[in-house]
Amino acid sequence: MLSKEEIQRYQRHFPLPDFGVEAQEKLKKSKVLIVGCGGLGNPVSSYLAASGVSCIGLIDSDVVSISNLQRQILYKEQEIGISKVRLTAQKLKELNHHVEIEEYNLNLNSKNALSIIDKFDLVIDCTDNFPTRYLINDACILQNKPFIYGSIYQYEGQVAVFNVNKSANYRDLYPTPPNPESVPDCEIGGVLGTLPGIIGSIQANEAIKVICGIGQPLIEKLFIFDSQSMETRVIKIKNTNARDTITGLIDYEEFCHPNKNKMVKEITVKELHEMIENKEDFQLIDVREPHEVEIATLDGELIPLGDIPQNEDKIAKNKKVVVHCRSGARSGQAIQYLQGKLGLENLYNLKGGILAWADEIDPSMEKY
């Protein structure tokens, strides 16, 4: 039953065809898990809280950084460095005190996924990486939970609804993970600041439709939105019964990046600091963009990731080469390319990149 206050709060829902009090009561009884409190997680959590979902679970281990503020509109400049889960929970309670919030300041993994997801009716993917998407998908299959998928990159976004009454799932769309080098993340390729708001709102919309049993959710359909042209497409997803291959959870990092640990050698920022202090003879290469160097630098030789193929001759062949970027992702890609193309074995990725250096070596260095 809805209270008098709830009837007043949600009154704009009630005149809607096929909605009414019954659908609102379904929202009041529902429990939704949101994996990721970033660009997609901000609008998804806000709209579901405002709409009257009873319980919202939030999973994220990250803290707010200044580069988040371009698209993650729940956060403020003075909140940089604070837990995203804690901040999101606080702001959702301020938006709607009726909503119960469960906070998980951690990374979803194969050990905790089933026990966490078991508590909820529906899971929404607001992440930015393939291992977690496959993990969410497989856990939802094992526990028969609907899964709202969302993805953004540059100017384009995608949304789909998986695993409703054994409908198509993520593995029907992507049977195998793509080559990591062929799918750069938003740190490398960028993302339009407004795009997460658009795609996240559509994800929230699909969740409400599934919970309330209204409309036609994107079941066995992939919705694609291009913000540059304002064109949309809906592609049919064939149900190949890929769920039948899922009998348990696996190591998803290994599944998506089978050669990651085998191919790329790493050094820590402490090891690099010692090399610098000892004045060792090595080459330090920075594969970030010029504007990033203006924020923070280790004084390495700047060769942006996209320019690596045209500058292969600048890579030392007879001494140790340390490659770095902001977090270690782009530098890892550069090393994989150079090892594959030139067969070099003297390349080392700086684990954690500039961010780790700021945390462990130079706290005065500006993080972004």
Side-chain angles (χ1 to χ4, degrees):
M1 292 287 293
L2 300 176
S3 67
K4 181 178 179 180
E5 181 192 342
E6 288 171 321
I7 291 173
Q8 293 175 324
R9 176 184 284 268
Y10 307 122
Q11 61 180 293
R12 294 297 185 269
H13 275 162
F14 302 146
L16 292 172
D18 303 321
F19 201 97
V21 173
E22 182 180 354
Q24 191 64 52
E25 289 179 339
K26 289 180 180 179
L27 285 175
K28 183 176 180 178
K29 296 175 183 177
S30 65
K31 301 182 71 175
V32 176
L33 178 65
I34 300 171
V35 186
C37 295
L40 293 174
N42 278 199
V44 168
S45 61
S46 297
Y47 276 110
L48 291 184
S51 295
V53 168
S54 171
C55 175
I56 295 176
L58 303 170
I59 296 183
D60 203 311
S61 64
D62 200 7
V63 298
V64 178
S65 67
I66 191 169
S67 63
N68 297 151
L69 302 181
Q70 164 252 14
R71 64 201 177 280
Q72 299 178 22
I73 58 174
L74 276 183
Y75 311 130
K76 303 174 183 178
E77 291 182 357
Q78 57 267 39
E79 294 169 337
I80 290 171
I82 300 176
S83 161
K84 291 182 179 180
V85 162
R86 189 199 316 166
L87 287 171
T88 303
Q90 173 188 323
K91 293 168 192 290
L92 296 186
K93 290 297 291 185
E94 291 172 354
L95 175 63
N96 187 347
H97 73 277
H98 295 285
V99 180
E100 177 187 349
I101 308 295
E102 293 194 13
E103 301 177 36
Y104 300 92
N105 195 345
L106 49 78
N107 290 318
L108 194 71
N109 58 48
S110 297
K111 294 181 180 179
N112 60 31
L114 292 176
S115 62
I116 295 175
I117 290 175
D118 184 57
K119 302 175 184 178
F120 298 88
D121 304 313
L122 178 148
V123 181
I124 304 182
D125 165 37
C126 297
T127 66
D128 60 359
N129 66 87
F130 285 95
T132 307
R133 288 182 186 135
Y134 279 102
L135 168 61
I136 294 170
N137 179 78
D138 293 1
C140 286
I141 288 173
L142 292 173
Q143 298 191 316
N144 196 28
K145 308 279 186 176
F147 161 31
I148 312 295
Y149 158 73
S151 175
I152 54 173
Y153 179 65
Q154 293 189 339
Y155 297 99
E156 184 177 289
Q158 300 180 353
V159 179
V161 176
F162 294 129
N163 203 43
V164 176
N165 298 323
K166 296 187 176 181
S167 66
N169 67 84
Y170 187 70
R171 287 181 180 268
D172 292 309
L173 179 62
Y174 295 110
T176 57
N179 185 328
E181 296 178 38
S182 68
V183 189
D185 60 21
C186 291
E187 180 183 333
I188 299 170
V191 62
L192 185 66
T194 55
L195 184 63
I198 297 168
I199 298 302
S201 296
I202 295 173
Q203 286 182 280
N205 187 65
E206 292 303 299
I208 291 171
K209 287 157 63 179
V210 171
I211 292 167
C212 298
I214 60 173
Q216 298 179 349
L218 291 166
I219 298 171
E220 300 191 345
K221 299 175 183 177
L222 178 68
F223 173 84
I224 302 173
F225 172 71
D226 185 330
S227 64
Q228 282 189 302
S229 64
M230 293 304 292
E231 293 180 347
T232 63
R233 289 180 292 157
V234 177
I235 298 174
K236 180 72 174 177
I237 301 174
K238 183 178 180 180
N239 188 346
T240 65
N241 293 316
R243 75 178 66 82
D244 295 340
T245 65
I246 307 304
T247 58
L249 303 183
I250 60 175
D251 183 336
Y252 292 91
E253 283 292 337
E254 175 65 21
F255 175 64
C256 293
H257 309 294
N259 297 315
K260 181 178 179 180
N261 293 329
K262 299 173 185 176
M263 292 181 62
V264 179
K265 294 179 286 188
E266 292 184 323
I267 69 166
T268 66
V269 291
K270 291 182 179 179
E271 290 171 326
L272 176 61
H273 186 251
E274 290 177 1
M275 290 167 60
I276 295 172
E277 289 290 304
N278 295 333
K279 298 182 179 180
E280 293 185 26
D281 182 23
F282 70 97
Q283 182 181 27
L284 180 62
I285 295 177
D286 184 344
V287 297
R288 297 175 300 153
E289 297 300 315
H291 71 271
E292 295 177 90
V293 177
E294 296 179 8
I295 301 173
T297 182
L298 299 180
D299 297 322
E301 182 177 353
L302 179 63
I303 308 177
L305 179 61
D307 297 339
I308 289 289
Q310 294 80 39
N311 291 275
E312 295 171 0
D313 58 322
K314 295 182 179 179
I315 310 301
K317 312 296 190 298
N318 56 357
K319 60 183 175 182
K320 183 178 288 188
V321 177
V322 178
V323 187
H324 86 84
C325 63
R326 176 177 177 268
S327 65
R330 280 172 285 178
S331 48
Q333 290 185 22
I335 290 174
Q336 286 181 332
Y337 169 82
L338 291 168
Q339 288 181 159
K341 182 72 178 297
L342 304 179
L344 299 178
E345 297 183 359
N346 59 327
L347 307 176
Y348 294 81
N349 189 25
L350 182 62
K351 187 176 181 180
I354 284 282
L355 294 179
W357 186 274
D359 284 336
E360 301 180 38
I361 306 299
D362 184 3
S364 67
M365 177 174 284
E366 186 171 354
K367 297 171 69 174
Y368 65 99

